[in-house]
Amino acid sequence: VTLPNIQGGDFVSVSHTAASAYIEWSGAITTTGAGGTVTARATNRHASAAIDLASGTLLVRAIKPKL
């Protein structure tokens, strides 16, 4: 996901509108600066079942820490 001007040290959160109890979302800053990007990852935490995530919108938020 393109997120201009994101920098190392910024806080990132990721979610999806088609929430599932067993899907864990995480985000990581992969490129910084004007063309900054965040990579979103969905991990299935169910012990044995495959989960088919429904269509929806990926939500990404970045917060700059107060220094």
Side-chain angles (χ1 to χ4, degrees):
V1 177
T2 301
L3 214 60
N5 301 314
I6 193 158
Q7 298 295 325
D10 292 351
F11 297 99
V12 177
S13 62
V14 178
S15 62
H16 194 275
T17 56
S20 172
Y22 295 104
I23 299 292
E24 176 182 280
W25 290 94
S26 60
I29 299 169
T30 49
T31 307
T32 61
T37 56
V38 171
T39 299
R41 170 178 273 175
T43 304
N44 179 359
R45 294 294 181 188
H46 194 279
S48 60
I51 297 175
D52 186 18
L53 187 64
S55 295
T57 301
L58 182 66
L59 306 166
V60 178
R61 177 187 301 175
I63 301 171
K64 300 229 176 255
K66 292 183 180 184
L67 300 176

